[in-house]
Amino acid sequence: MKAAGAAIAAWAVSGWWFQAPMALLAPWTAIAMVGSTVYQSVRTGIQQFAIIALGTVWASAAMASTQDRTMVAMLLTLPFMMLLGNYRRFGSQGIYGATTALFVITGGVSSTSTVGHRLLETLIGAVIGLLVNAFVLPPVHLRSVRDRLVRLVRETADVLGTTAEELREEDGVEKSDSWHHSAGGLTVSLQNVSEARRWAMEGSRWNPGGRLRRVGPMPPPFAEDMRWGRVCTRVLALTRTLKTISEDTELPPPSLDFLRLLSDVLSRAGHICAIETELLTGSSGTGALRERRDAAFTEAWRALGSLTDTFHRQEPSAAAAGGELLLEARRLITELAPST
């Protein structure tokens, strides 16, 4: 709707008010200017005006040098403009050079005043599109960071909870392939958080939206993205080790007591993640939630101590697999330590 409004406004200025000979260029440019962020609109506007101006001047020069012979002018213009349009500096706007050249050539007029009109109409469309995007509900992209981070933490809690529950079962390690597959899915959610963070950072650049309207709470700090990225790495490493134990028949597995205590550690880690989910959603009673999280972390650390004691009583042959699991579990609990 914003793009449509910008196009209508650009036509009203160039076609209805100025009666410009090539008024189509103004609304056409305005539509392309309404991007996902204000910064993107500015960047797009510079790229688009540059390539359109180049296409206009080049096509006009070709028409003048060929005495307005359309076919010859196209042969001189379109191959060059299509190649130039692929230059990375022009981004996705490169195609506009060739299409603008087509407008100029098929228009059949190559006078200096006509070229000036086309450049002016392009500039009018670019300015109107930018102003509409910047001052009519400017996009800020803040909420999606928190939403996607909450989803990542919730999924982490689910993976840990499922792994802990099934690890207690007889021959539960045989299900490790599904645990590792679920843990691998966390990387996709982590990428979604990174993408949302990029949009939020770009959306705040040169954006008056924060002063023009309410945008809601700010997203969690970038340090939280890094922290949960490390947590996902630890979960993935744990499930990978369990999968290796299940598949490698020559590798002696840890004792059942060790796996049971590891299950307790993972269960408590999942409980911490579930509480962190509530904290990230901004639920009421933040103080009580933090107390619950601190208590859950204390219980997890105590369970880790029991796991360490059991590891020291392991048979030497099971030390390799048990030691790697113990190390990753310790790293996981350390990453889950309360940051605020």
Side-chain angles (χ1 to χ4, degrees):
M1 295 303 294
K2 286 170 62 177
I8 293 170
W11 176 262
V13 172
S14 62
W16 178 66
W17 187 15
F18 285 159
Q19 296 292 314
M22 200 69 175
L24 170 64
L25 286 175
W28 181 55
T29 305
I31 287 175
M33 281 294 298
V34 181
S36 299
T37 63
V38 175
Y39 170 76
Q40 193 177 89
S41 289
V42 175
R43 183 183 61 190
T44 298
I46 294 173
Q47 292 172 335
Q48 189 182 77
F49 185 76
I51 191 66
I52 286 177
L54 186 57
T56 299
V57 172
W58 187 278
S60 299
M63 288 290 287
S65 63
T66 60
Q67 299 179 349
D68 293 340
R69 284 182 289 181
T70 303
M71 190 65 190
V72 180
M74 283 190 179
L75 289 173
L76 293 175
T77 302
L78 292 183
F80 171 75
M81 293 308 303
M82 288 301 298
L83 288 172
L84 186 65
N86 286 294
Y87 181 47
R88 63 182 181 82
R89 295 277 184 186
F90 292 125
S92 60
Q93 308 305 311
I95 190 63
Y96 288 112
T99 53
T100 302
L102 277 175
F103 287 158
V104 172
I105 292 171
T106 55
V109 182
S110 58
S111 65
T112 304
S113 62
T114 303
V115 174
H117 271 295
R118 286 163 181 157
L119 293 177
L120 177 61
E121 291 145 17
T122 300
L123 183 61
I124 289 173
V127 170
I128 291 177
L130 175 60
L131 292 176
V132 167
N133 202 37
F135 294 102
V136 179
L137 297 177
V140 290
H141 300 282
L142 294 179
R143 183 176 177 182
S144 59
V145 177
R146 184 179 299 275
D147 291 344
R148 294 187 181 187
L149 188 58
V150 166
R151 179 177 178 180
L152 171 65
V153 178
R154 183 180 293 117
E155 290 176 353
T156 304
D158 292 341
V159 171
L160 288 170
T162 301
T163 303
E165 181 179 355
E166 295 181 349
L167 191 59
R168 295 190 186 98
E169 299 175 2
E170 186 176 357
D171 297 329
V173 179
E174 295 180 359
K175 300 179 181 179
S176 56
D177 187 60
S178 64
W179 307 336
H180 187 59
H181 183 269
S182 299
L186 297 177
T187 58
V188 177
S189 297
L190 186 61
Q191 291 172 357
N192 291 336
V193 174
S194 299
E195 182 71 11
R197 179 72 64 177
R198 185 183 68 81
W199 276 110
M201 292 174 65
E202 184 176 306
S204 62
R205 296 180 68 179
W206 306 342
N207 193 334
R211 294 183 295 273
L212 293 178
R213 62 189 176 95
R214 297 179 64 184
V215 297
M218 294 297 292
F222 179 69
E224 286 296 293
D225 299 3
M226 302 298 294
R227 176 193 177 205
W228 287 103
R230 294 191 298 270
V231 169
C232 291
T233 301
R234 302 280 75 84
V235 174
L236 189 62
L238 272 165
T239 56
R240 181 173 58 244
T241 302
L242 289 168
K243 180 181 177 183
T244 301
I245 293 172
S246 173
E247 295 176 347
D248 191 346
T249 56
E250 296 182 0
L251 181 66
S255 67
L256 294 178
D257 286 343
F258 182 91
L259 293 177
R260 178 180 56 80
L261 289 171
L262 176 63
S263 170
D264 292 341
V265 172
L266 298 183
S267 177
R268 285 168 170 76
H271 184 50
I272 295 173
C273 293
I275 298 174
E276 291 276 9
T277 301
E278 297 182 53
L279 284 169
L280 285 171
T281 55
S283 303
S284 58
T286 302
L289 285 174
R290 287 177 177 169
E291 290 179 1
R292 286 174 52 199
R293 179 193 58 188
D294 295 345
F297 178 77
T298 301
E299 292 176 1
W301 198 258
R302 187 180 298 115
L304 184 64
S306 300
L307 181 66
T308 304
D309 293 339
T310 302
F311 169 75
H312 291 153
R313 296 192 297 270
Q314 289 280 291
E315 294 292 334
S317 59
E324 187 169 352
L325 288 171
L326 176 62
L327 178 62
E328 293 299 339
R330 178 177 292 275
R331 287 176 175 174
L332 173 63
I333 300 302
T334 302
E335 296 295 351
L336 290 174
S339 56
T340 56

